[in-house]
Amino acid sequence: MAEGNGGATGEPVAHRTRGALEELPRSTTITLHQTSPGNVDNLTWSATVNLPSSYLSPTPSPDELIIRERGRRSLPIEWSPIPIESPIKRTDKTPIKRSPTKGLIVLRSSPRKRLQLSDASPKEILESRQRMMQMSPILKKCRSLTVSPAQSPPEVAIKGLSQNQLVEVLSHVLNRHPELKDEVSDILPQPDLKEMEEKLNLQKKCVFKSLPISRLTSKTDSPAYNKAAPHLASFKRTLLEQCNQLVEAEQWVSLVDYSLLAWSYVRATPIWDSQQHNSCRRTCFKTLAQHCLQGLKKVNWLPERLESLLKKVEQCRSDHDEMQPCVDYLRTVLSNQV
């Protein structure tokens, strides 16, 4: 391309430019094919256009044509084990996939898997399901889990039982062997009061931990009682449960010892400014005094033991008047023995 005067005439030459990315025109070729020589009528025209391959629709496979001819399948209103056939029976079958050979183009097709329902009655289907469940590996695993493990020695296995289970085991053994009752009675130890004392002491500590720490606030007024009230109720509940446990076991000697032991813990609880708030304290004293009197009447005490009990009971009387019947009973028994 040149710019300026051109030729002898001096006329300017026009600029001829083209875009850098201008699309080139596509050539269209038309070919003519003749199927048989000498026959002019059997001419086939074919136009080949230079278009991308994605613009041309591919020819459908035989499987796709068969699927299109089937149409939509009507759905049943209610489920039934009897298969519902299509209103139009088709004789066409899905072509069988064969191994590729030379010169043949094998179409890759994945035939749809359909549920094949037989013309069996519901009863037969239910029986077949039960048979399959019996042969199921899941049931076999569950059965293997129910096999009883190796039994441990009785003296080891008894450690995992609760108190009610131990009572049932012992009663069952004594019923089968009545001759062992005297031997078991001689072996049975007295109830361990140390464990009961630890539980009661823990409840008492919780009561004092709930009280305010500041020196500027009172530890016996109504706000302090409101903080300690839940722990006082727990303390009272623990004391009643332990007393009832000894009464049900008919351990009268241990019941008297526990009543005198728990009396000191009840005495250590706070005395509140309001008399209404001291109702829990009075209830505990009254309960212990009643159980102590019940235990004293059930046992034939020795004189030495009665004298030591009388000294302890007289000390407890200063805390609450409910212990006075115990003092009177012990004095009466001592006077009768003399």
Side-chain angles (χ1 to χ4, degrees):
M1 298 235 235
E3 185 175 339
N5 297 332
T9 58
E11 295 179 359
V13 180
H15 293 280
R16 295 181 182 180
T17 59
R18 181 176 60 84
L21 299 177
E22 184 179 357
E23 185 178 0
L24 297 176
R26 299 179 181 271
S27 62
T28 303
T29 60
I30 299 176
T31 58
L32 179 63
H33 300 280
Q34 184 176 354
T35 57
S36 61
N39 190 358
V40 184
D41 297 333
N42 296 333
L43 295 178
T44 304
W45 293 85
S46 63
T48 304
V49 183
N50 291 334
L51 294 177
S53 60
S54 60
Y55 280 69
L56 301 177
S57 60
T59 56
S61 63
D63 294 343
E64 187 175 356
L65 293 175
I66 293 173
I67 294 173
R68 289 180 183 178
E69 291 178 0
R70 288 177 183 173
R72 289 193 175 183
R73 186 177 182 182
S74 59
L75 299 176
I77 299 176
E78 297 180 358
W79 181 86
S80 173
I82 302 175
I84 298 178
E85 297 181 355
S86 178
I88 302 175
K89 294 184 179 180
R90 301 293 183 183
T91 58
D92 300 334
K93 297 183 179 179
T94 305
I96 302 173
K97 186 177 181 181
R98 299 177 180 176
S99 59
T101 57
K102 295 182 179 181
L104 291 177
I105 300 176
V106 180
L107 299 176
R108 294 184 179 180
S109 60
S110 57
R112 298 181 181 179
K113 296 181 181 179
R114 298 184 179 275
L115 181 62
Q116 301 294 335
L117 297 174
S118 59
D119 296 336
S121 61
K123 184 178 181 180
E124 294 178 356
I125 294 177
L126 187 60
E127 292 177 356
S128 64
R129 287 183 179 177
Q130 292 178 355
R131 288 195 299 269
M132 291 296 294
M133 288 295 292
Q134 293 176 358
M135 299 173 61
S136 176
I138 299 175
L139 286 181
K140 292 181 180 178
K141 292 181 181 179
C142 295
R143 290 174 184 171
S144 63
L145 293 177
T146 56
V147 177
S148 59
Q151 294 292 337
S152 56
E155 59 274 11
V156 177
I158 202 172
K159 297 179 180 180
L161 302 181
S162 62
Q163 183 178 0
N164 295 331
Q165 290 176 325
L166 291 174
V167 172
E168 292 178 359
V169 170
L170 185 59
S171 60
H172 180 70
V173 172
L174 294 178
N175 289 334
R176 294 183 61 181
H177 304 281
E179 65 277 4
L180 297 177
K181 288 186 178 180
D182 296 337
E183 184 177 355
V184 172
S185 299
D186 297 337
I187 297 175
L188 282 178
Q190 293 294 327
D192 188 9
L193 299 181
K194 292 183 180 179
E195 185 177 355
M196 296 182 177
E197 184 181 1
E198 290 176 359
K199 292 182 180 179
L200 204 63
N201 188 26
L202 180 62
Q203 297 296 334
K204 187 197 73 172
K205 289 181 179 179
C206 292
V207 172
F208 284 96
K209 284 182 180 180
S210 62
L211 298 177
I213 305 176
S214 177
R215 298 180 181 178
L216 303 178
T217 58
S218 176
K219 297 184 179 181
T220 57
D221 56 356
S222 296
Y225 171 78
N226 293 334
K227 293 181 179 180
H231 303 285
L232 286 173
S234 180
F235 176 85
K236 174 184 173 182
R237 182 169 57 254
T238 303
L239 185 142
L240 295 177
E241 289 177 355
Q242 292 176 351
C243 288
N244 294 332
Q245 179 180 350
L246 296 174
V247 171
E248 291 176 358
E250 297 182 358
Q251 299 290 332
W252 308 117
V253 177
S254 299
L255 180 62
V256 174
D257 294 338
Y258 176 78
S259 299
L260 298 176
L261 176 67
W263 191 278
S264 59
Y265 285 93
V266 178
R267 181 194 300 157
T269 56
I271 301 176
W272 309 100
D273 298 339
S274 176
Q275 293 298 325
Q276 184 179 0
H277 296 161
N278 293 321
S279 60
C280 179
R281 180 186 175 92
R282 290 193 298 267
T283 303
C284 293
F285 279 140
K286 185 176 181 180
T287 302
L288 293 176
Q290 292 176 354
H291 285 96
C292 182
L293 182 61
Q294 183 181 4
L296 291 174
K297 292 181 178 181
K298 295 289 185 179
V299 181
N300 295 325
W301 303 93
L302 297 175
E304 295 82 4
R305 178 66 171 166
L306 287 174
E307 292 178 359
S308 63
L309 288 174
L310 181 59
K311 293 179 181 179
K312 293 179 181 179
V313 170
E314 287 177 348
Q315 293 176 359
C316 296
R317 184 182 56 179
S318 59
D319 298 324
H320 203 274
D321 295 336
E322 291 291 337
M323 193 59 79
Q324 183 62 39
C326 297
V327 176
D328 297 338
Y329 177 78
L330 289 175
R331 288 178 178 176
T332 303
V333 174
L334 283 173
S335 61
N336 291 336
Q337 288 182 357
V338 173

